[in-house]
Amino acid sequence: MRYFIKEDDIERELIDVCLNELDYNNHFNCYVTDHLHRSSERGVLNLDVLRREVKRINASATDRPQGFDDSDVNTAVAALNDIDLHSDPASLNATILSRIINGFKINVLQANGKREQRTIQYID
């Protein structure tokens, strides 16, 4: 029977070299999901950083003294994270790229308790 080398095999070997031969002490990879808070190795977003930066970048989207509401942050993150990855690759790429470049419209909680539509940005 023929043995096929998978990408997974190559990655594991390189991880071993980095940790054991090159003395790297910090290592993030798809086998250590707790550092990046991903639910699986297929996840590509660092959700902690994304949530923090969405909150920072969009602070002016609300007039609340305490800033951007956590549920609004979660809605903005979900707009990037909850995309059907089984759709046509070209349309999937266009959707994600459009959201990153143009932002995403959501209703943001304001100081008066009402929600107003704002365009949430992912990059500043």
Side-chain angles (χ1 to χ4, degrees):
M1 175 183 248
R2 220 174 119 106
Y3 177 74
F4 292 96
I5 295 176
K6 300 178 294 188
E7 183 178 345
D8 183 64
D9 298 328
I10 296 168
E11 183 176 357
R12 287 183 186 269
E13 186 64 31
L14 289 172
I15 290 167
D16 184 61
V17 169
C18 288
L19 292 174
N20 298 317
E21 295 177 28
L22 299 176
D23 295 324
Y24 282 33
N25 60 2
N26 259 337
H27 183 72
F28 300 113
N29 64 71
C30 65
Y31 307 108
V32 183
T33 58
D34 59 326
H35 292 301
L36 298 178
H37 303 283
R38 299 181 301 175
S39 58
S40 76
E41 65 187 50
R42 297 184 66 116
V44 296
L45 298 174
N46 185 327
L47 296 177
D48 290 340
V49 171
L50 181 59
R51 282 187 181 97
R52 182 182 68 236
E53 292 304 308
V54 162
K55 197 169 197 171
R56 180 187 65 79
I57 292 167
N58 296 286
S60 64
T62 181
D63 58 0
R64 297 174 68 227
Q66 61 270 44
F68 212 58
D69 185 59
D70 286 340
S71 69
D72 293 336
V73 171
N74 291 336
T75 300
V77 168
L80 279 183
N81 202 30
D82 297 340
I83 295 175
D84 180 17
L85 299 178
H86 300 294
S87 64
D88 170 56
S91 64
L92 174 64
N93 187 44
T95 299
I96 294 171
L97 190 59
S98 174
R99 288 185 186 174
I100 291 172
I101 293 172
N102 302 318
F104 188 73
K105 292 186 185 299
I106 66 170
N107 293 321
V108 177
L109 185 62
Q110 302 298 317
N112 63 7
K114 295 183 180 179
R115 292 189 170 274
E116 297 178 8
Q117 190 173 68
R118 298 287 191 263
T119 300
I120 301 306
Q121 301 298 326
Y122 297 98
I123 56 176
D124 58 2

